[in-house]
Amino acid sequence: MIAYIKERQQFMKDQIFCYFDHDDLVDDGIVWNKAVFVVAREDIQTQKEADEYVARWLYIDGAEALGADGKPFNKMVGKSKDAAIHHLLIDTLYEGLKLKKEMAS
């Protein structure tokens, strides 16, 4: 995780302050590592805007393509695409474990 974030800083020539934290899911025998990003930009006012900014920073490489509607868009390729897929899979697993824990309580 740390290596990927450092790589993104170099690729993007920009950085977002982040710190690392974890959740101990003792009953499941898992430690969940996570990065918490702190976005401080005048043009970002909401949590949704901050989430979108961080997602673009983490996963979009700037490779431009044309959509089915003929409009250009940036797409995920290479390591950023792999990281996004990995994040989605792991996040789904984590949410499932949290739900299981809530239902057991």
Side-chain angles (χ1 to χ4, degrees):
M1 178 173 17
I2 294 170
Y4 181 75
I5 289 171
K6 285 184 179 185
E7 185 178 300
R8 292 306 290 176
Q9 289 172 344
Q10 292 173 348
F11 178 80
M12 299 296 288
K13 300 195 182 4
D14 187 18
Q15 58 185 333
I16 303 172
F17 176 78
C18 71
Y19 63 92
F20 300 95
D21 199 359
H22 70 280
D23 287 336
D24 291 318
L25 303 175
V26 178
D27 295 340
D28 298 306
I30 296 174
V31 175
W32 184 261
N33 295 312
K34 57 186 175 180
V36 179
F37 290 88
V38 180
V39 177
R41 293 176 51 109
E42 289 183 18
D43 59 330
I44 295 178
Q45 302 296 314
T46 66
Q47 181 68 48
K48 182 178 184 235
E49 291 172 342
D51 291 345
E52 290 171 355
Y53 177 74
V54 170
R56 275 192 313 275
W57 188 87
L58 282 171
Y59 305 123
I60 302 297
D61 275 341
E64 201 164 281
L66 286 178
D69 60 0
K71 294 180 182 177
F73 68 96
N74 290 331
K75 65 179 184 176
M76 296 177 222
V77 295
K79 285 185 178 180
S80 62
K81 178 181 177 184
D82 294 343
I85 292 169
H86 182 78
H87 171 81
L88 290 171
L89 291 171
I90 296 298
D91 190 55
T92 301
L93 172 64
Y94 181 62
E95 291 300 319
L97 290 172
K98 284 190 342 187
L99 182 61
K100 175 185 154 193
K101 193 174 201 175
E102 288 172 9
M103 291 175 68
S105 306

